[in-house]
Amino acid sequence: MGFREQIAPVRRIVGIILAVLLIGGVAAAVVAGRDTGDGTATKTVRGVIGSEKAEFFDDPDVVKALAAKGYTVTTETSGSWDMEQLTLTGYDFAFPSSKAPADTLKAKSKVTGAPQRPFYSPLVVVAHRGAAEVLAGNGLATLSGPAGGTLKMDAYLAAVRADRTWQQLKGAEKHSELSGTLFVTSTDPVASNSGALYLAAASYVADGGKVAGDTAAVDRTAPLLRKLTQVQGAQQAGSDAPFRDFISGVGNPLVLVYESQVASQLLARQDLGDLVLLYPDTTVSSDHTVVPITENGRALGELLATDPELRKLAVRHGFRPQGAAAEFTAATAAHKDRINQTLTGVRQAPVPTSEVLHEMARRARS
């Protein structure tokens, strides 16, 4: 056998050895990445969230920030109260929009330890400028400028009790779109957190500043809550669709949304046209609450609450991080004409237990 014939098998053997060594090196590198947490490998964490947080988790910068900490997060959306109907099997966390549904989910999933509340957002009412000016001209609101102001809940609820129409308000005749019964569009309180919290705030005001604690308290305000709800007809299960309808110029001229939905649009430099942001003088802040079902879910909740980059991104999506007003204030400084940065003149209504909220919602829809 000649030299060329002898060298060919040797080359093949050397090639096989090098390939084996290369594969082994790659495997070692992957293992090392998992051990060192350098972001080369991630833990996939699955959760169910309120629709108002979908854009946050879909944000490429949020995805990147989570990956840098070793996490890939996949989410599905649901109304916060609808989450109670889920088995939660296969989920690492649930992320409803307030403490009340979170408490129910915690009990259902046998979670130990306190859920995390990384950020919050007060409930507000968006109005077109014409509608806001008519409300102000009839003592139902005050305007601090052309794009922001306060909704007077006592006066508004009195108008609802009296079945007042837009046509009965002076100045409404100048706006052809203002007709029919005066009401604020809200979400289905049986399915959605914002709709239930709206009833909680209304009940608190209507009952002389008392938080409903039993059936008798619900009885006292049930007729009013029924009026607030049933005048709307079919209601959405999440706050995202009504807000998008409002921005598109369709639907009711007054819509209940989260402040974060407006703030995120402003921070993204979106043109909101003649939108006026009205803060109810008595409202409820929605504490977005992570209910950890697994240890990975718990670690994610802690990360959302404490990581500086993720907190900054939460502000970019309009949320107020817990315990750090300065972050939100600095980010929204250019939008003080609409956003009440310090919530001056806004009273926070206590939230009833989940059992009482469920009863309110049931009575309002029946």
Side-chain angles (χ1 to χ4, degrees):
M1 180 183 296
F3 176 76
R4 293 180 184 275
E5 287 80 0
Q6 290 177 338
I7 198 66
V10 173
R11 285 175 174 169
R12 284 195 294 271
I13 293 170
V14 170
I16 292 170
I17 292 172
L18 289 173
V20 170
L21 290 173
L22 179 60
I23 292 170
V26 169
V30 170
V31 172
R34 289 173 180 163
D35 291 341
T36 61
D38 64 2
T40 58
T42 61
K43 299 174 184 176
T44 297
V45 182
R46 181 180 176 223
V48 57
I49 64 172
S51 63
E52 70 289 331
K53 292 182 284 288
E55 289 189 0
F56 172 76
F57 282 103
D58 288 341
D59 185 336
D61 289 336
V62 172
V63 172
K64 182 179 177 181
L66 289 168
K69 295 296 181 178
Y71 291 90
T72 295
V73 179
T74 63
T75 61
E76 301 166 21
T77 60
S78 168
S80 292
W81 291 109
D82 278 346
M83 291 182 192
E84 292 183 14
Q85 309 306 317
L86 301 175
T87 64
L88 298 180
T89 301
Y91 291 106
D92 295 288
F93 70 97
F95 203 172
S97 301
S98 73
K99 182 178 181 297
D103 286 344
T104 301
L105 288 167
K106 177 184 175 184
K108 177 180 178 180
S109 60
K110 306 284 193 299
V111 171
T112 58
Q116 294 91 17
R117 292 187 285 276
F119 42 74
Y120 68 100
S121 184
L123 288 173
V124 296
V125 173
V126 291
H128 294 296
R129 183 170 296 122
E133 290 173 349
V134 170
L135 291 177
N138 288 270
L140 301 177
T142 58
L143 298 180
S144 55
T150 302
L151 179 68
K152 296 182 177 181
M153 285 292 284
D154 267 324
Y156 165 67
L157 293 177
V160 171
R161 285 193 189 93
D163 298 316
R164 294 185 77 179
T165 65
W166 283 104
Q167 291 92 325
Q168 292 172 328
L169 302 181
K170 63 182 180 182
E173 69 278 359
K174 300 175 185 177
H175 306 278
S176 60
E177 73 278 9
L178 300 180
S179 63
T181 305
L182 172 68
F183 68 92
V184 172
T185 293
S186 60
T187 54
D188 182 353
V190 173
S192 171
N193 174 70
S194 60
L197 293 184
Y198 175 50
L199 298 184
S203 171
Y204 182 77
V205 173
D207 206 19
K210 298 175 184 176
V211 59
D214 54 28
T215 302
V218 176
D219 289 342
R220 288 194 294 271
T221 60
L224 173 63
L225 304 185
R226 193 174 297 115
K227 279 193 172 186
L228 290 170
T229 303
Q230 295 191 350
V231 68
Q232 301 181 47
Q235 294 174 289
Q236 299 278 356
S239 59
D240 189 55
F243 181 59
R244 291 186 184 278
D245 286 346
F246 178 89
I247 295 298
S248 299
V250 299
N252 195 42
L254 303 174
V255 179
L256 184 83
V257 299
Y258 294 108
E259 177 196 58
S260 59
Q261 293 171 279
V262 180
S264 64
Q265 295 290 304
L266 292 172
L267 292 171
R269 300 182 180 180
Q270 296 295 316
D271 181 9
L272 297 184
D274 68 346
L275 181 149
V276 177
L277 186 55
L278 299 176
Y279 287 78
D281 57 14
T282 299
T283 190
V284 176
S285 280
S286 184
D287 290 321
H288 296 274
T289 305
V290 177
V291 180
I293 300 169
T294 67
E295 285 304 314
N296 282 344
R298 180 177 300 282
L300 175 67
E302 293 173 353
L303 192 63
L304 292 172
T306 60
D307 181 73
E309 180 63 18
L310 287 168
R311 286 172 66 90
K312 182 174 75 174
L313 290 168
V315 169
R316 190 168 83 181
H317 284 269
F319 300 110
R320 295 175 181 248
Q322 292 284 3
E327 293 171 283
F328 184 83
T329 301
T332 58
H335 305 288
K336 290 187 290 186
D337 60 330
R338 278 193 172 106
I339 295 176
N340 186 343
Q341 294 179 300
T342 58
L343 299 178
T344 302
V346 177
R347 177 172 59 166
Q348 293 292 320
V351 179
T353 64
S354 60
E355 290 80 9
V356 171
L357 275 178
H358 274 303
E359 181 63 12
M360 280 185 181
R362 188 188 67 78
R363 297 283 295 278
R365 294 293 293 162
S366 64

